[in-house]
Amino acid sequence: FLDLPLLTGDEDEISPHFATTASPWPGGVNLFSSPSENGFSFNTGVSQSAVIGMTESELVKTEPSLWDMGSRLRVRLANGTLSSASKEAVLNGANVIAIGNSSTNNWEIIQFATASLIDTDTYELSGLLRGQQGTDAYIPDFWQTGSYAVLLDGTVPQLNLASSSRNLARYYRYGPSTRSFDHASYVEEYLAFAGVGLRPYRPSHLSASFDQNSNVTTSWVRRTRIDGDNWQAADVPLGETSEAYHVRVLRDGSLVREVDLTVPNWTYSQA
């Protein structure tokens, strides 16, 4: 289960994604959900196995949104294949993977240009773009060996989740589509999803300077999670119902001041 940011902008902002694979593939997987331990109803079906693997090397934190030509990520797939793509194709949305652990919302979106087959079902990925789609704020110091890697190639559908069910835990059962949801082959999980597709991107280009009165003037640049790749526009669309920022000032780890703003700048007076 992957609670992901918007990838193309056409997704449901609230609903998580569901990636599944099996060997042998049973022909399809059905997912049922219920607010209680009884009363399960059909949620979604998957007809095609997702490309899922586990990392076999650590991936150390690097600068987001810049081509990382030095790092190498080794991934062993449970099924499927990976392939290289030109940088132009990557910048147009090719070769997107989610790297994460066992939690539902701790995922980094990464793109790669080169996939080299180095062993049976094992690829070395290079030419990386880290922290895509707003996940730059959540890149860990390193992804451990044994992290999940899921190729987001259109075979990973979204669940049906009402907005009223966001952050509310529900029961989910999934298994072979040829079996009923009460069959022993079905797996049950109890999960809640925050709706990461609604999460705003963190601002960028923070700057601060002193004026002649020793006041600190700060400013930053707003980003957007919706339609932010239009390089011809004078500014990116807001993408939210309002523009709002919460600024916190810390000294030695202790909070000394906080303020809510509606503009991307703030003056911290000398007083």
Side-chain angles (χ1 to χ4, degrees):
F1 292 88
L2 307 90
D3 198 354
L4 299 177
L6 297 178
L7 300 174
T8 66
D10 297 326
E11 300 90 356
D12 187 308
E13 298 172 311
I14 295 170
S15 299
H17 295 253
F18 178 58
T20 181
T21 188
S23 181
W25 179 247
V29 170
N30 284 343
L31 175 73
F32 296 81
S33 60
S34 174
S36 65
E37 295 182 85
N38 301 300
F40 281 88
S41 60
F42 178 78
N43 187 290
T44 191
V46 182
S47 60
Q48 186 176 352
S49 172
V51 178
I52 303 175
M54 302 289 282
T55 62
E56 292 194 336
S57 63
E58 287 187 351
L59 183 62
V60 178
K61 183 177 183 178
T62 58
E63 286 296 317
S65 304
L66 299 174
W67 287 107
D68 176 7
M69 306 307 295
S71 299
R72 299 291 186 269
L73 177 64
R74 182 174 296 187
V75 178
R76 184 177 181 86
L77 300 181
N79 72 294
T81 61
L82 299 175
S83 59
S84 301
S86 67
K87 287 186 176 181
E88 290 77 10
V90 172
L91 292 174
N92 278 281
N95 287 357
V96 183
I97 59 172
I99 302 290
N101 51 29
S102 57
S103 67
T104 60
N105 61 357
N106 187 27
W107 296 92
E108 179 191 351
I109 304 300
I110 298 176
Q111 290 181 268
F112 62 93
T114 303
S116 302
L117 183 65
I118 59 173
D119 202 345
T120 303
D121 299 323
T122 304
Y123 292 82
E124 187 176 76
L125 307 183
S126 59
L128 307 179
L129 285 176
R130 301 288 304 276
Q132 298 290 75
Q133 307 307 114
T135 59
D136 54 303
Y138 304 92
I139 303 175
D141 290 335
F142 61 91
W143 285 111
Q144 294 181 339
T145 298
S147 299
Y148 288 103
V150 181
L151 182 66
L152 303 176
D153 61 349
T155 61
V156 184
Q158 287 185 280
L159 278 63
N160 293 309
L161 187 69
S163 58
S164 58
S165 296
R166 187 164 66 94
N167 289 316
L168 297 179
R170 298 174 65 88
Y171 290 90
Y172 295 92
R173 286 186 185 177
Y174 53 92
S177 57
T178 54
R179 305 286 189 177
S180 61
F181 67 84
D182 55 356
H183 191 266
S185 60
Y186 269 68
V187 178
E188 181 175 289
E189 297 194 48
Y190 186 61
L191 302 168
F193 303 102
V196 171
L198 292 169
R199 186 174 64 195
Y201 291 6
R202 70 174 184 181
S204 62
H205 301 297
L206 174 66
S207 65
S209 60
F210 287 93
D211 63 17
Q212 64 272 22
N213 297 316
S214 296
N215 302 316
V216 181
T217 300
T218 62
S219 65
W220 51 90
V221 175
R222 177 178 62 81
R223 296 166 66 199
T224 184
R225 62 191 174 90
I226 298 174
D227 292 337
D229 259 346
N230 185 348
W231 290 73
Q232 284 72 46
D235 197 2
V236 294
L238 181 59
E240 315 297 337
T241 56
S242 62
E243 184 173 1
Y245 306 96
H246 186 69
V247 177
R248 305 171 75 239
V249 181
L250 296 94
R251 179 191 296 134
D252 298 328
S254 298
L255 179 66
V256 295
R257 187 167 179 80
E258 57 185 336
V259 60
D260 291 309
L261 304 167
T262 59
V263 292
N265 55 78
W266 178 55
T267 298
Y268 193 16
S269 71
Q270 192 278 337

